[in-house]
Amino acid sequence: MSDVKHRKHRTNFSKTAPPGGTRSSSSSGKRAAVPPSSSKKEETSDSRFYWLNAGICLIAMVICGYKHANLMYTIHENNMWFSNIKEVEREISFRTESGLYYSYYKQMVQAPSISQGLHSLIHDNMTEHPDTINVLERMNIYQEVVLSVLYRVLPIKSWMQPIFFYINSVFALHAMLVWALFLTAYFLSGSWLAGILTACFYTFNKVDTTRVEYIIPLRESFSLPFLWVQIAATTYYFRNNCSPQKERLSVVIIFVATLCFSLGWQFNQFVLLLQAFALFGTWILDMVPPRKIQMLFLAQLTSLLVTCLLQFINKMILGSLVMSFIPAVLLLIYLKGDEMNYCSIPTRIIKVIGYSLTVLVFMILLQRVVKLLLGIDADDHIYKFIMSKFNVGHARDFDALLYLCIDAFGFLQMDTFERLTKGVVFPLYAVTHLGMLIILFIAVLQNWSNHVHDTNVKDHPSAKKSNLLISRPELAYHAVLAVFFGALGMSTLRMKYLWTPYMCILGSIGISDYKVWRTILSPFKTQGVIVQIVRHFMTLLTLTILLAIALPPLLKELEELKEFWDPDTVELMEWIKSNVPKGAAFTGSMQLLAGVKLCTGRPITNHPHYEDKHLRFKTKELYQIYGRRTPKDIHDILTKYKSNYIILEDSICLAPSKGCRTPDIVDIDNGVIPDHGKTEPGLVKSSVPRFCDEIRYESPAYTKYFKLVFSNRTFRVHKVL
């Protein structure tokens, strides 16, 4: 069978047992000694089967990860013809912030030395011209630094271009992500067939589980693989049969994975906060030993502090909610941990509610104090966005509107569930997760009841109640964490990539778990072998159904060969490289400017990494080029930030006015009624023409300040006089 666990041979010697063997009863009632050789043979047989099973599991895991990574590479190649297009086209294909991040890898690779490359990142005056910033502090680009160093020191320059080393490294990380999902399912179910099913769920539902094949340099493309490695290690760490040595190894892996995850993504603090909530929940519900919870909190805290140090004391990390929540929980466990074990169930419920509220209040107060002492206000836009999303204030805030008008930050669309249902995974996940939550509720009540009658349990061990989750605390943790990831995924479309991998894991263990099938088949009084056969058969049946449904469309997709085609942007970038001085700075849309920096190496005034307060204010001023402002107003703003050229895009300027285009957002923030004409209190009609449109007619009022130097069907470049 694929997953029969290794069972250690236990020999029970009684006081009168003859040395060297066990005693068994014969048909005559006499006890005959079992020869030692029989015991050794069984032990050897079990050991061989264990290693055979482990070997098959390892091979299956490696194949699943490799196949997934190769599929992502193939789809990317088929969509872009990446290996055959020009280098400038490859770089342009890294849209928006992806291009900005890749530009730092390119900068490090092309630097005369590693030390000079690092110096250029720490003293960067190209990204937010004319300001000089420390990119390593402001952005999560250590992955670009590491990859650039590896490319420089490894003997691969003669046969691999830097851009291919970069994208292949990302695809390799996603092979590791699939390995982590595979291992998590294996640890939870004991079946490597469950791991294969999880990997197939993840791969065949790729539309909703990953986007690495078309947006490679995004921060989560680097970070999520390490998050799932951390979750896999946490799963193993929470198991009851984990030895002290394996516990220490698990904690080391958890720390390293959490550190890599935190270094790679600016949203790390929010994901780790949800994990901290889940850890707190499993502790306060008494499903995981406090010492393990404390160890994981310390690993999280240490990882965040190291991240803060590596980012040159990044204050946003120090002022994050998770950095205030963890000390609050550790203090509570230290002061009140023992009190939770000896009280009645009603008292326990009151304490759970009271302690939870206390921790949350302490977290908020501590965060306020830290932010006040350190003068932190860079994350205010996040809270404005959250409040605006739920229609609580800040309805006309520029920053909030920018986020609200991006589809990725909207609510999860219902067609996601339709696709995941067609991909088989969602119905299995929904039933499994609901069942886990019900069992968790029962397990918590039984556990609390055991503590109430603790004395009786000591006197009569057989009176202690058992439950699926009492003996499997790792399932309790996943049941809670999946709720938090689900809530985040439902509220923010971009974050569904945290939730959907959980669907793949829980959906597969729901169909392949031994205890689930033992419970289902218990009325038929089936033996263990029959249960094993049934669960493996059902897993294989589910896998067969998935392949029958999802494989033909995937094969058809692989037959479609496309090519990247954006001649207007290519023409713009090549014109800039040929006709604009290297020190000339550009202003335009954040998305386009990231590409300008990457493809031309020219300074830019703003960019899509929107996490700094000064940059947000600067962007709001520079975006007046799409507002109803006079040419003198725009000229004053551009000269203030020493901008030499502006790039205007008709796709932005002339887009239909529906309330979410950039000119509409600028108008609303300026208190002007947008072009769609919908009036709101506080908005007035403006007689000033829209700058981005009016400048095309080159009237004297505009040519006094600006000169058209380049245009094509998509872009117009004006020099600031």
Side-chain angles (χ1 to χ4, degrees):
M1 295 178 189
S2 64
D3 63 329
V4 176
K5 295 182 179 178
H6 173 57
R7 297 183 290 277
K8 293 181 179 179
H9 184 77
R10 293 183 175 85
T11 306
N12 183 24
F13 296 101
S14 67
K15 292 181 180 179
T16 58
T22 59
R23 300 193 304 177
S24 61
S25 59
S26 65
S27 58
S28 60
K30 295 180 181 180
R31 300 191 179 271
V34 177
S37 58
S38 175
S39 173
K40 290 181 180 179
K41 286 180 180 179
E42 291 180 15
E43 195 170 279
T44 303
S45 176
D46 281 351
S47 178
R48 287 176 179 173
F49 190 81
Y50 170 79
W51 288 112
L52 176 63
N53 188 56
I56 295 173
C57 176
L58 181 62
I59 293 171
M61 180 187 76
V62 171
I63 291 174
C64 287
Y66 170 77
K67 286 293 187 181
H68 174 79
N70 185 63
L71 176 65
M72 296 299 103
Y73 176 86
T74 303
I75 292 174
H76 178 258
E77 175 67 18
N78 288 357
N79 288 337
M80 299 285 183
W81 207 21
F82 203 74
S83 60
N84 286 273
I85 58 178
K86 295 190 295 186
E87 185 72 8
V88 65
E89 292 177 304
R90 293 171 184 155
E91 293 177 347
I92 292 171
S93 71
F94 295 151
R95 301 289 190 180
T96 66
E97 59 182 299
S98 299
L100 180 67
Y101 299 135
Y102 179 77
S103 73
Y104 299 118
Y105 168 79
K106 180 180 177 181
Q107 185 174 328
M108 282 289 296
V109 168
Q110 294 179 347
S113 66
I114 294 174
S115 59
Q116 287 177 278
L118 289 172
H119 184 271
S120 69
L121 293 179
I122 296 172
H123 305 88
D124 180 278
N125 58 4
M126 302 283 289
T127 305
E128 294 181 15
H129 180 85
D131 303 322
T132 298
I133 64 171
N134 183 345
V135 180
L136 291 177
E137 175 192 356
R138 287 276 298 279
M139 303 183 197
N140 300 75
I141 62 159
Y142 268 98
Q143 49 268 56
E144 277 73 25
V145 172
V146 171
L147 289 179
S148 65
V149 172
L150 288 175
Y151 183 78
R152 296 178 70 112
V153 300
L154 293 175
I156 58 175
K157 299 183 186 67
S158 60
W159 55 274
M160 181 178 288
Q161 298 177 45
I163 197 167
F164 287 101
F165 177 73
Y166 184 90
I167 67 171
N168 287 336
S169 298
V170 177
F171 290 134
L173 281 176
H174 280 255
M176 185 179 74
L177 185 152
V178 171
W179 295 344
L181 298 179
F182 186 106
L183 285 176
T184 303
Y186 176 72
F187 292 153
L188 291 173
S189 67
S191 169
W192 50 260
L193 277 177
I196 293 175
L197 183 58
T198 298
C200 290
F201 276 149
Y202 183 81
T203 299
F204 287 114
N205 290 279
K206 59 183 176 59
V207 173
D208 297 297
T209 58
T210 182
R211 51 180 178 166
V212 69
E213 74 272 24
Y214 63 95
I215 314 182
I216 295 173
L218 278 184
R219 300 301 81 187
E220 54 261 46
S221 295
F222 290 92
S223 288
L224 289 183
F226 291 104
L227 175 67
W228 288 105
V229 168
Q230 181 237 57
I231 290 174
T234 303
T235 303
Y236 193 84
Y237 177 67
F238 278 160
R239 297 172 74 174
N240 285 334
N241 60 350
C242 190
S243 66
Q245 294 82 3
K246 292 177 180 179
E247 282 189 4
R248 286 192 288 269
L249 177 61
S250 298
V251 170
V252 171
I253 295 173
I254 290 168
F255 166 74
V256 173
T258 306
L259 176 61
C260 294
F261 167 74
S262 301
L263 275 174
W265 197 14
Q266 68 268 31
F267 295 137
N268 59 66
Q269 54 177 292
F270 304 105
V271 178
L272 293 180
L273 178 63
L274 296 183
Q275 279 198 320
F277 285 165
L279 290 172
F280 174 73
T282 52
W283 167 73
I284 205 166
L285 296 177
D286 196 27
M287 299 306 298
V288 176
R291 66 174 183 84
K292 289 192 174 185
I293 297 295
Q294 288 172 306
M295 186 60 68
L296 290 191
F297 274 133
L298 290 173
Q300 270 194 353
L301 190 63
T302 307
S303 299
L304 286 168
L305 289 174
V306 174
T307 301
C308 178
L309 290 174
L310 290 174
Q311 289 192 289
F312 296 81
I313 316 298
N314 187 323
K315 292 183 179 180
M316 278 189 68
I317 294 177
L318 296 176
S320 64
L321 286 171
V322 67
M323 285 293 285
S324 298
F325 181 78
I326 293 175
V329 176
L330 289 174
L331 181 63
L332 177 64
I333 294 175
Y334 177 76
L335 295 176
K336 301 293 184 180
D338 292 338
E339 292 185 11
M340 298 293 289
N341 293 333
Y342 306 104
C343 55
S344 63
I345 291 179
T347 305
R348 185 70 175 256
I349 294 173
I350 293 172
K351 285 189 174 183
V352 166
I353 297 173
Y355 289 165
S356 300
L357 293 175
T358 300
V359 166
L360 292 176
V361 171
F362 187 87
M363 171 190 72
I364 294 172
L365 292 177
L366 181 58
Q367 189 211 27
R368 293 282 179 89
V369 171
V370 171
K371 292 180 72 172
L372 183 64
L373 292 176
L374 299 180
I376 302 171
D377 55 8
D379 57 352
D380 290 349
H381 65 297
I382 297 174
Y383 300 105
K384 289 180 181 178
F385 159 67
I386 294 173
M387 299 291 282
S388 298
K389 188 166 187 171
F390 294 98
N391 298 317
V392 182
H394 308 290
R396 294 178 186 168
D397 181 79
F398 180 82
D399 302 328
L401 286 173
L402 276 182
Y403 277 107
L404 289 171
C405 288
I406 298 174
D407 290 339
F409 289 95
F411 290 103
L412 186 66
Q413 299 166 353
M414 289 299 105
D415 61 354
T416 303
F417 299 106
E418 295 178 10
R419 289 191 300 269
L420 291 170
T421 299
K422 291 179 181 177
V424 185
V425 66
F426 183 71
L428 293 175
Y429 159 76
V431 173
T432 302
H433 197 188
L434 179 61
M436 288 172 66
L437 292 174
I438 294 172
I439 294 171
L440 174 61
F441 177 75
I442 297 171
V444 167
L445 293 181
Q446 289 184 337
N447 223 17
W448 290 358
S449 178
N450 288 341
H451 287 307
V452 173
H453 304 291
D454 191 56
T455 304
N456 294 333
V457 171
K458 289 179 181 179
D459 295 337
H460 305 284
S462 62
K464 188 171 182 177
K465 300 177 183 178
S466 63
N467 187 275
L468 281 173
L469 297 189
I470 289 177
S471 61
R472 302 168 72 183
E474 66 274 14
L475 281 179
Y477 171 71
H478 287 292
V480 176
L481 183 58
V483 170
F484 287 113
F485 279 5
L488 182 62
M490 289 285 289
S491 65
T492 307
L493 179 62
R494 182 177 181 176
M495 296 300 177
K496 73 176 179 179
Y497 301 103
L498 291 169
W499 187 26
T500 49
Y502 246 131
M503 293 186 186
C504 301
I505 293 171
L506 298 186
S508 66
I509 68 168
I511 204 70
S512 61
D513 187 76
Y514 176 82
K515 289 190 175 181
V516 168
W517 286 107
R518 188 180 67 181
T519 303
I520 293 173
L521 298 175
S522 59
F524 305 101
K525 299 181 180 180
T526 53
Q527 297 179 349
V529 175
I530 302 299
V531 176
Q532 294 279 18
I533 292 173
V534 169
R535 71 155 176 158
H536 293 323
F537 172 78
M538 293 304 297
T539 306
L540 288 171
L541 178 62
T542 305
L543 186 57
T544 303
I545 294 172
L546 174 64
L547 292 173
I549 293 174
L551 188 57
L554 179 61
L555 294 176
K556 185 176 181 181
E557 180 184 352
L558 292 176
E559 293 175 358
E560 298 178 4
L561 301 179
K562 304 175 184 177
E563 180 181 354
F564 178 81
W565 180 250
D566 191 355
D568 290 348
T569 306
V570 170
E571 183 185 12
L572 171 67
M573 300 303 174
E574 291 181 340
W575 178 86
I576 291 174
K577 285 193 290 185
S578 302
N579 297 277
V580 176
K582 288 188 176 181
F586 281 81
T587 290
S589 67
M590 293 183 287
Q591 298 83 350
L592 178 64
L593 289 186
V596 170
K597 181 184 182 302
L598 167 60
C599 299
T600 72
R602 275 29 177 204
I604 58 176
T605 53
N606 59 316
H607 55 79
H609 190 87
Y610 208 60
E611 310 303 322
D612 179 73
K613 185 175 182 179
H614 173 68
L615 175 66
R616 293 195 297 272
F617 177 79
K618 183 179 179 181
T619 298
K620 183 164 71 171
E621 283 201 291
L622 293 171
Y623 264 36
Q624 297 304 314
I625 60 177
Y626 289 109
R628 293 182 175 276
R629 300 293 292 269
T630 65
K632 185 179 185 308
D633 289 343
I634 300 299
H635 188 268
D636 290 343
I637 293 172
L638 295 174
T639 53
K640 173 184 175 181
Y641 293 111
K642 300 181 180 179
S643 179
N644 305 108
Y645 294 87
I646 56 173
I647 306 176
L648 297 172
E649 302 169 65
D650 284 344
S651 59
I652 296 176
C653 184
L654 303 180
S657 179
K658 298 180 180 179
C660 254
R661 65 171 188 162
T662 299
D664 293 343
I665 296 173
V666 174
D667 286 347
I668 291 172
D669 186 71
N670 291 340
V672 173
I673 298 174
D675 292 348
H676 56 65
K678 183 179 179 182
T679 60
E680 294 181 16
L683 298 182
V684 297
K685 190 173 182 62
S686 174
S687 59
V688 179
R690 191 168 303 284
F691 175 83
C692 64
D693 186 35
E694 193 68 20
I695 192 176
R696 76 173 71 244
Y697 303 113
E698 298 187 281
S699 65
Y702 289 83
T703 56
K704 178 181 178 181
Y705 299 104
F706 305 98
K707 178 184 178 182
L708 179 67
V709 292
F710 172 84
S711 66
N712 61 22
R713 293 175 301 175
T714 305
F715 304 104
R716 286 176 283 123
V717 179
H718 298 265
K719 185 176 181 180
V720 181
L721 301 178

